[in-house]
Amino acid sequence: MVADSSFKIVIVDESPIRAAILKEGLRDAGFASVEHISEMHNLLARIYRIDPDVILIDLENPSRDVLEQMFQVSRVVRRPIAMFVDQSDASSIQDAVEAGVSAYIVDGLKKERIKPVLDLCISRFNAFAKLQDELDRTKSALEDRKILDRAKGLLMKAKGLTEEEAYVLIRSTAMREKKKIGEIAQSIITAAELLK
Amino acid sequence: MTDTPLRIGFIPLVDAAALIVAVDKGFTAAEGLDVTLAREVSWSNVRDKLNIGLFDAAHLLAPVAIASTLGLSQVKVPIVASFNLGLNGNAITVSPALHAAIMAEADGDPANPMVTAKALARVVAARRKSGADPLTFGMTFPFSTHNYQLRFWMAAGGVDPDEDVRLVVLPPPYMVESLVNGHVDAFCVGAPWNSVAVDLGVGHILHFVSDILERAAEKVLAVREKWSLEHPEVLAKLTRAHGRAADFIENPANRGEVSRILGAPERIGVDPEVIQRTLDGRLKISPDGTFRESGRYLLVGREGAARPDPVQAAWLYAQMVRWGQAAYSQEALETARKVFRPDLYDAALGASARPAHIVRDGVGAFDGAPFDPANIAAHLASVTIKRPPPK
């Protein structure tokens, strides 16, 4: 893919990790001029200074409404800005919104030139969401692990069991009661706290 | 029979009350609707998700519904509103410094918006003479009542909102901080942000917007016109549930419960006491503890507020023309008026007589002749400060 390196792209995102992922992807695709704005104060002034061709913003950012003002004050902007090049491309808009990104594009840029930016953006946003999801799952697995260790410790102390025996007891109880190991471990901790 | 699933977007504001109560008190479930409420962070998100069909309905700024229908600056998606979620509800808050400056220049009762608007004009002139930066006012969206209310007020006093001051869009949660750090000198916003500024001692509520306009459509329950034609029964059920919710909210005996429902973390997520102030129309307006009460601060269902009134749609369209957002045409005026659908409201909730004491022209602006929705050219001819139509 030969990207247009003359584009100036601004990424407005409060997540530094996602912005970095996006920036790297855009650079790899040949877009040389990519800037990241993470600070939301005086957003319009910063954007006017950079004067980008494309603005990418995370949908969870309330400052999206601020960008809408650029449609209204075209006297101040060098060129008027429109979101999405034309309204016939509803599926692209839907894909972008579902991925959590919105694009503002300087009027006059051809759709074919924007498409690769938007597609790349959508895939990067989706990749980030997957990463975030994995991170969350790892975190909760770690949390379960900690709870299990505490429950094992309580059983070992209360009943004079080895670690292996404590674990077998928790596991068999979970199987008998059709519950998760983590839930049984949590109830052991809760019970121990109540009995303190 | 299984319930009809609906996904509805909202912004955490007190004027989403009828929607939130309709769902959380089970009025929608009683109609066989299984509603999921999606909390959003920006009006652009609400509008786009409604327009592309990710939402079936939405809590939407009334002017955005009109702008979307007319295709102003955005993808053109016709919207209809069968239920008005609220009239009024905003306030203008100014920094202590600007408050003092306006009070020093006020020639007459500062509760009168004309007195403060003229005082503002003198403050602006003095700043210009001394070479100070123009005053900056925050509002929530280019197509918002906040924008038009601020402009209507200051222009009446001779201040040109595009030449003499700066008007900037600010997300409501950033308003107070921006007032503190001096990025804005004043703002117009809905609850609870005015109260937050007063409670922190960083702002004075100068006016309730109901001082400027007695009846301004603020937020509507919006659906795509296409969707309304495909699902007329579902829309009628949804409208009916909202009618029940509005009645529930307007019963003073329920205010405590309503405030708790709205204050929940996954809904508006603020102290129920602050929410109740807005519903009661009794707000602390000054850091010194002065309170002010108004029977029409925010109207959710009483005084016929919930029935969409095309006169208010016409007024909003007239403001879009006045400030250069829309070109005037009789056809566009008609299209704008038809966004508000009292017929759908009546079909769902039964026609009711218009309360007798409502201001005659349906708008009640503090300045100018009565508003005639059939002749907005006369309204525009009567004002001197305005913009040329867009190119």
Side-chain angles (χ1 to χ4, degrees), chain B residues 116-195:
Chain B
T116 53
K118 285 184 174 160
L120 177 70
R122 287 189 281 273
V123 172
V124 164
R127 286 178 74 100
R128 175 171 294 149
K129 218 167 160 190
S130 72
D133 277 343
L135 293 167
T136 304
F137 287 73
M139 46 86 178
T140 62
F141 203 66
F143 296 103
S144 70
T145 32
H146 316 85
N147 185 17
Y148 305 136
Q149 284 156 348
L150 268 178
R151 286 169 175 268
F152 193 82
W153 164 66
M154 57 177 70
V159 176
D160 186 320
D162 294 307
E163 301 293 339
D164 300 334
V165 297
R166 280 198 286 250
L167 249 65
V168 297
V169 170
L170 263 187
Y174 302 168
M175 291 274 180
V176 175
E177 197 190 336
S178 299
L179 193 66
V180 173
N181 62 26
H183 283 138
V184 297
D185 301 286
F187 54 68
C188 180
V189 71
W193 304 106
N194 297 289
S195 294

Side-chain angles (χ1 to χ4, degrees), chain A residues 24-91:
Chain A
E24 188 195 277
L26 288 164
R27 289 235 168 104
D28 287 351
F31 298 99
S33 174
V34 184
E35 289 207 43
H36 171 215
I37 299 178
S38 60
E39 167 62 41
M40 296 304 133
H41 284 302
N42 285 336
L43 181 63
L44 282 190
R46 285 159 200 258
I47 288 177
Y48 292 146
R49 214 172 303 131
I50 299 169
D51 194 20
D53 300 281
V54 180
I55 301 164
L56 302 166
I57 182 165
D58 153 35
L59 278 195
E60 293 312 307
N61 196 320
S63 291
R64 242 200 103 190
D65 282 349
V66 178
L67 297 187
E68 298 270 326
Q69 194 179 16
M70 290 191 297
F71 295 112
Q72 306 293 319
V73 286
S74 50
R75 289 180 310 140
V76 188
V77 202
R78 192 162 58 83
R79 290 162 296 186
I81 295 189
M83 182 196 174
F84 298 106
V85 180
D86 80 54
Q87 46 183 278
S88 63
D89 196 11
S91 74

Side-chain angles (χ1 to χ4, degrees), chain B residues 59-296:
Chain B
H59 165 230
L60 197 63
L61 282 161
V64 173
I66 294 167
S68 176
T69 303
L70 295 173
L72 300 176
S73 89
Q74 253 296 327
V75 179
K76 179 173 177 170
V77 178
I79 299 292
V80 299
S82 61
F83 194 92
N84 197 355
L85 289 167
L87 291 179
N88 310 335
N90 303 324
I92 297 173
T93 294
V94 301
S95 70
L98 181 55
H99 186 254
I102 289 175
M103 290 304 138
E105 292 289 349
D107 183 9
D109 179 6
N112 176 350
M114 189 54 92
V115 169
T116 53
K118 285 184 174 160
L120 177 70
R122 287 189 281 273
V123 172
V124 164
R127 286 178 74 100
R128 175 171 294 149
K129 218 167 160 190
S130 72
D133 277 343
L135 293 167
T136 304
F137 287 73
M139 46 86 178
T140 62
F141 203 66
F143 296 103
S144 70
T145 32
H146 316 85
N147 185 17
Y148 305 136
Q149 284 156 348
L150 268 178
R151 286 169 175 268
F152 193 82
W153 164 66
M154 57 177 70
V159 176
D160 186 320
D162 294 307
E163 301 293 339
D164 300 334
V165 297
R166 280 198 286 250
L167 249 65
V168 297
V169 170
L170 263 187
Y174 302 168
M175 291 274 180
V176 175
E177 197 190 336
S178 299
L179 193 66
V180 173
N181 62 26
H183 283 138
V184 297
D185 301 286
F187 54 68
C188 180
V189 71
W193 304 106
N194 297 289
S195 294
V196 171
V198 174
D199 284 351
L200 287 173
V202 299
H204 291 255
I205 294 179
L206 187 64
H207 289 295
F208 295 174
V209 296
S210 52
D211 301 343
I212 294 163
L213 217 63
E214 281 190 42
R215 291 170 76 84
E218 180 54 39
K219 309 290 173 2
V220 294
L221 172 69
V223 300
R224 291 182 304 284
E225 184 184 37
K226 189 163 173 283
W227 186 92
S228 76
L229 298 171
E230 287 162 358
H231 306 91
E233 291 299 319
V234 181
L235 181 57
K237 288 174 178 179
L238 190 60
T239 307
R240 208 150 43 225
H242 275 71
R244 287 191 62 194
D247 288 346
F248 186 83
I249 292 162
E250 292 292 20
N251 181 347
N254 298 329
R255 287 278 162 79
E257 183 183 352
V258 168
S259 302
R260 280 193 301 280
I261 290 171
L262 299 178
E266 73 279 14
R267 298 306 185 215
I268 302 177
V270 301
D271 183 354
E273 191 271 327
V274 178
I275 292 176
Q276 182 145 2
R277 278 191 226 169
T278 310
L279 293 172
D280 291 344
R282 186 169 184 276
L283 276 73
K284 189 162 114 182
I285 59 165
S286 162
D288 71 13
T290 309
F291 271 80
R292 200 193 134 192
E293 210 164 340
S294 167
R296 53 168 201 262

Side-chain angles (χ1 to χ4, degrees), chain A residues 179-191:
Chain A
K179 286 193 172 143
K180 288 185 184 152
I181 287 178
E183 289 175 63
I184 298 298
Q186 182 61 59
S187 47
I188 292 168
I189 294 167
T190 308

Side-chain angles (χ1 to χ4, degrees), chain B residues 300-362:
Chain B
V300 175
R302 65 186 190 277
E303 297 182 25
R307 187 173 187 266
D309 185 349
V311 172
Q312 287 154 18
W315 190 85
L316 291 170
Y317 172 68
Q319 308 315 302
M320 293 174 189
V321 175
R322 178 177 183 180
W323 301 116
Q325 292 177 322
Y328 171 77
S329 78
Q330 189 63 30
E331 192 193 344
L333 171 61
E334 278 315 304
T335 306
R337 284 167 56 102
K338 283 183 186 145
V339 172
F340 282 25
R341 296 290 297 275
D343 58 321
L344 294 179
Y345 176 93
D346 291 346
L349 285 154
S352 55
R354 193 168 180 271
H357 58 284
I358 289 177
V359 58
R360 214 149 55 92
D361 72 353

